[in-house]
């Protein structure tokens, strides 16, 4: 299913994410809690990972970077959160990590706006995992930017009017537009997806442990390539 963000993205459209069945580049086909991680030696290009369509980094070229493309609206991303927190702790020193929200459709746009507003208001560390829980475990009605603003006010004490002003600002709009173009260049159609140095992304993944293995394998390869 494809939804168009005509009011914001001027015709740019991407597939709805949270792809399942192991055929996309995001969510695993198997039960992530039960599936065992595959050894790095079994990871092959074209299967577990693939070269991006158009290479491009999210941040300036100073370090090896790992990007998690996600959405608060994606149940697979909610399940992956504890795994990606573990991944961040296991990355080699000097490797940068970025979580980047995917506004693949109208329903996910408020979540991307909320992410950047929370980031700019310095409340992202205390709200990131909590928002996944609020949406997918507690089933709070958090589908609009106004509902999200109220939640951030209650959860982190942010000023609602200030939050909304940032979330709806041209700066955030331009950032989301830039993200969408970057995702298109990476050939992403599902979440969660891991991208390393803008050159390689996860592809057919069977478990969240394996997704972390792919990230670490590609990071180590990039580090060796920069020496």
């Amino acid at each position: 299913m494809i939804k168009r963000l005509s009011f914001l993205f001027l015709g740019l459209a991407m597939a709805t994410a949270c792809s399942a069945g192991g055929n996309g580049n995001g969510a695993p086909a198997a039960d992530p809690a039960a599936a065992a991680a595959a050894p790095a030696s079994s990871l092959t290009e074209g299967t577990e990972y693939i070269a991006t369509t158009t290479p491009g980094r999210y941040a300036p070229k100073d370090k090896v970077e790992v990007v998690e493309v996600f959405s608060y609206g994606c149940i697979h991303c909610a399940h992956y959160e504890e795994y990606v927190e573990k991944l961040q702790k296991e990355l080699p020193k000097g490797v940068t990590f970025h979580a980047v929200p995917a506004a693949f459709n109208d329903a996910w746009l408020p979540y991307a706006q909320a992410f950047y507003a929370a980031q700019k208001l310095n409340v992202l560390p205390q709200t990131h995992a909590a928002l996944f829980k609020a949406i997918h475990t507690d089933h709070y009605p958090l589908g609009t930017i106004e509902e999200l603003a109220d939640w951030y006010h209650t959860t982190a004490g942010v000023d609602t009017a200030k939050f909304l002003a940032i979330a709806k600002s041209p700066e955030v709009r331009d950032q989301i537009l830039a993200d969408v173009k970057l995702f298109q260049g990476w050939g992403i159609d599902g979440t969660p997806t891991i991208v390393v140095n803008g050159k390689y992304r996860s592809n057919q993944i069977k478990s969240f442990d394996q997704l972390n293995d792919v990230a670490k394998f590609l990071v180590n390869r990039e580090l060796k390539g920069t020496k």
Side-chain angles (χ1 to χ4, degrees), residues 16-29 74 76 108 189-193 203:
T16 317
C18 270
S19 64
N23 294 320
N25 50 56
C74 171
H76 298 303
W108 284 9
D189 61 7
T191 55
T193 296
N203 188 45

mmCIF file of all heavy atoms in Angstrom, residues 16-29 74 76 108 189-193 203:
data_model
loop_
_atom_site.group_PDB
_atom_site.id
_atom_site.type_symbol
_atom_site.label_atom_id
_atom_site.label_comp_id
_atom_site.label_asym_id
_atom_site.label_seq_id
_atom_site.Cartn_x
_atom_site.Cartn_y
_atom_site.Cartn_z
ATOM 1 N N THR A 16 4.727 1.841 2.318
ATOM 2 C CA THR A 16 4.499 1.748 3.746
ATOM 3 C C THR A 16 5.480 0.747 4.319
ATOM 4 O O THR A 16 5.711 -0.289 3.747
ATOM 5 C CB THR A 16 3.073 1.243 4.016
ATOM 6 O OG1 THR A 16 2.187 1.907 3.121
ATOM 7 C CG2 THR A 16 2.666 1.523 5.437
ATOM 8 N N ALA A 17 6.048 1.089 5.481
ATOM 9 C CA ALA A 17 7.123 0.271 6.013
ATOM 10 C C ALA A 17 6.618 -0.801 6.953
ATOM 11 O O ALA A 17 5.477 -1.190 6.902
ATOM 12 C CB ALA A 17 8.135 1.159 6.695
ATOM 13 N N CYS A 18 7.514 -1.237 7.871
ATOM 14 C CA CYS A 18 7.249 -2.398 8.710
ATOM 15 C C CYS A 18 7.061 -3.610 7.822
ATOM 16 O O CYS A 18 6.118 -4.382 7.982
ATOM 17 C CB CYS A 18 6.009 -2.191 9.579
ATOM 18 S SG CYS A 18 6.367 -1.447 11.163
ATOM 19 N N SER A 19 7.918 -3.768 6.806
ATOM 20 C CA SER A 19 7.795 -4.906 5.905
ATOM 21 C C SER A 19 8.002 -6.197 6.675
ATOM 22 O O SER A 19 8.798 -6.264 7.585
ATOM 23 C CB SER A 19 8.822 -4.809 4.777
ATOM 24 O OG SER A 19 10.132 -4.878 5.285
ATOM 25 N N ALA A 20 7.270 -7.226 6.295
ATOM 26 C CA ALA A 20 7.356 -8.513 6.972
ATOM 27 C C ALA A 20 7.637 -9.612 5.967
ATOM 28 O O ALA A 20 7.670 -9.383 4.775
ATOM 29 C CB ALA A 20 6.055 -8.800 7.713
ATOM 30 N N GLY A 21 7.829 -10.804 6.459
ATOM 31 C CA GLY A 21 8.042 -11.954 5.593
ATOM 32 C C GLY A 21 9.474 -12.164 5.185
ATOM 33 O O GLY A 21 9.798 -13.101 4.477
ATOM 34 N N GLY A 22 10.378 -11.279 5.618
ATOM 35 C CA GLY A 22 11.799 -11.474 5.336
ATOM 36 C C GLY A 22 12.186 -11.120 3.917
ATOM 37 O O GLY A 22 13.308 -11.346 3.518
ATOM 38 N N ASN A 23 11.271 -10.559 3.125
ATOM 39 C CA ASN A 23 11.598 -10.245 1.742
ATOM 40 C C ASN A 23 11.971 -8.780 1.553
ATOM 41 O O ASN A 23 12.489 -8.391 0.519
ATOM 42 C CB ASN A 23 10.407 -10.593 0.835
ATOM 43 C CG ASN A 23 10.146 -12.084 0.813
ATOM 44 O OD1 ASN A 23 11.087 -12.855 0.776
ATOM 45 N ND2 ASN A 23 8.898 -12.488 0.855
ATOM 46 N N GLY A 24 11.681 -7.959 2.551
ATOM 47 C CA GLY A 24 12.053 -6.560 2.475
ATOM 48 C C GLY A 24 13.393 -6.345 3.116
ATOM 49 O O GLY A 24 14.174 -7.266 3.297
ATOM 50 N N ASN A 25 13.700 -5.089 3.492
ATOM 51 C CA ASN A 25 14.995 -4.832 4.106
ATOM 52 C C ASN A 25 14.865 -4.518 5.584
ATOM 53 O O ASN A 25 15.803 -4.078 6.212
ATOM 54 C CB ASN A 25 15.699 -3.676 3.384
ATOM 55 C CG ASN A 25 14.817 -2.466 3.226
ATOM 56 O OD1 ASN A 25 14.302 -1.959 4.212
ATOM 57 N ND2 ASN A 25 14.628 -2.002 1.999
ATOM 58 N N GLY A 26 13.697 -4.753 6.148
ATOM 59 C CA GLY A 26 13.507 -4.384 7.527
ATOM 60 C C GLY A 26 13.206 -5.549 8.444
ATOM 61 O O GLY A 26 14.076 -6.291 8.849
ATOM 62 N N ALA A 27 11.932 -5.736 8.774
ATOM 63 C CA ALA A 27 11.537 -6.639 9.836
ATOM 64 C C ALA A 27 11.849 -8.091 9.516
ATOM 65 O O ALA A 27 11.753 -8.525 8.385
ATOM 66 C CB ALA A 27 10.043 -6.485 10.102
ATOM 67 N N PRO A 28 12.211 -8.864 10.537
ATOM 68 C CA PRO A 28 12.552 -10.265 10.316
ATOM 69 C C PRO A 28 11.333 -11.131 10.094
ATOM 70 O O PRO A 28 10.241 -10.820 10.534
ATOM 71 C CB PRO A 28 13.264 -10.654 11.622
ATOM 72 C CG PRO A 28 12.658 -9.760 12.642
ATOM 73 C CD PRO A 28 12.389 -8.456 11.929
ATOM 74 N N ALA A 29 11.549 -12.256 9.427
ATOM 75 C CA ALA A 29 10.456 -13.182 9.167
ATOM 76 C C ALA A 29 10.172 -14.056 10.374
ATOM 77 O O ALA A 29 9.039 -14.424 10.622
ATOM 78 C CB ALA A 29 10.802 -14.069 7.974
ATOM 79 N N CYS A 74 5.794 1.844 13.779
ATOM 80 C CA CYS A 74 6.129 0.496 13.317
ATOM 81 C C CYS A 74 6.273 -0.455 14.506
ATOM 82 O O CYS A 74 7.156 -0.271 15.353
ATOM 83 C CB CYS A 74 7.431 0.546 12.520
ATOM 84 S SG CYS A 74 8.104 -1.072 12.092
ATOM 85 N N HIS A 76 7.387 -3.469 14.502
ATOM 86 C CA HIS A 76 8.682 -4.160 14.453
ATOM 87 C C HIS A 76 9.773 -3.289 15.069
ATOM 88 O O HIS A 76 10.681 -3.800 15.736
ATOM 89 C CB HIS A 76 9.048 -4.510 13.016
ATOM 90 C CG HIS A 76 8.075 -5.441 12.357
ATOM 91 N ND1 HIS A 76 7.753 -6.671 12.868
ATOM 92 C CD2 HIS A 76 7.351 -5.309 11.217
ATOM 93 C CE1 HIS A 76 6.874 -7.275 12.077
ATOM 94 N NE2 HIS A 76 6.616 -6.465 11.068
ATOM 95 N N TRP A 108 2.573 8.345 9.465
ATOM 96 C CA TRP A 108 3.859 8.370 10.158
ATOM 97 C C TRP A 108 4.503 9.753 10.200
ATOM 98 O O TRP A 108 5.491 9.953 10.900
ATOM 99 C CB TRP A 108 4.819 7.381 9.499
ATOM 100 C CG TRP A 108 4.527 5.954 9.859
ATOM 101 C CD1 TRP A 108 3.442 5.469 10.542
ATOM 102 C CD2 TRP A 108 5.349 4.825 9.568
ATOM 103 N NE1 TRP A 108 3.528 4.112 10.681
ATOM 104 C CE2 TRP A 108 4.677 3.680 10.092
ATOM 105 C CE3 TRP A 108 6.555 4.663 8.915
ATOM 106 C CZ2 TRP A 108 5.207 2.392 9.979
ATOM 107 C CZ3 TRP A 108 7.071 3.379 8.792
ATOM 108 C CH2 TRP A 108 6.411 2.260 9.326
ATOM 109 N N ASP A 189 12.553 0.265 1.731
ATOM 110 C CA ASP A 189 11.101 0.150 1.667
ATOM 111 C C ASP A 189 10.518 -0.491 2.920
ATOM 112 O O ASP A 189 9.355 -0.869 2.957
ATOM 113 C CB ASP A 189 10.655 -0.635 0.427
ATOM 114 C CG ASP A 189 11.182 -2.064 0.409
ATOM 115 O OD1 ASP A 189 11.792 -2.495 1.414
ATOM 116 O OD2 ASP A 189 10.969 -2.752 -0.596
ATOM 117 N N GLY A 190 11.327 -0.628 3.959
ATOM 118 C CA GLY A 190 10.820 -1.223 5.189
ATOM 119 C C GLY A 190 11.588 -0.779 6.410
ATOM 120 O O GLY A 190 12.725 -0.305 6.309
ATOM 121 N N THR A 191 10.979 -0.931 7.571
ATOM 122 C CA THR A 191 11.626 -0.592 8.838
ATOM 123 C C THR A 191 11.439 -1.750 9.816
ATOM 124 O O THR A 191 10.462 -2.490 9.716
ATOM 125 C CB THR A 191 11.018 0.683 9.447
ATOM 126 O OG1 THR A 191 9.608 0.508 9.585
ATOM 127 C CG2 THR A 191 11.311 1.910 8.618
ATOM 128 N N PRO A 192 12.380 -1.931 10.749
ATOM 129 C CA PRO A 192 13.632 -1.182 10.864
ATOM 130 C C PRO A 192 14.664 -1.631 9.836
ATOM 131 O O PRO A 192 14.740 -2.815 9.510
ATOM 132 C CB PRO A 192 14.115 -1.531 12.281
ATOM 133 C CG PRO A 192 13.563 -2.910 12.513
ATOM 134 C CD PRO A 192 12.230 -2.941 11.820
ATOM 135 N N THR A 193 15.429 -0.690 9.341
ATOM 136 C CA THR A 193 16.531 -0.977 8.433
ATOM 137 C C THR A 193 17.799 -0.342 8.993
ATOM 138 O O THR A 193 17.752 0.776 9.495
ATOM 139 C CB THR A 193 16.255 -0.416 7.032
ATOM 140 O OG1 THR A 193 15.131 -1.077 6.468
ATOM 141 C CG2 THR A 193 17.448 -0.625 6.104
ATOM 142 N N ASN A 203 19.028 -6.324 4.512
ATOM 143 C CA ASN A 203 18.152 -6.749 3.427
ATOM 144 C C ASN A 203 17.196 -7.849 3.893
ATOM 145 O O ASN A 203 16.150 -7.549 4.445
ATOM 146 C CB ASN A 203 18.988 -7.222 2.234
ATOM 147 C CG ASN A 203 18.160 -7.501 1.002
ATOM 148 O OD1 ASN A 203 17.282 -6.703 0.660
ATOM 149 N ND2 ASN A 203 18.410 -8.610 0.338
#
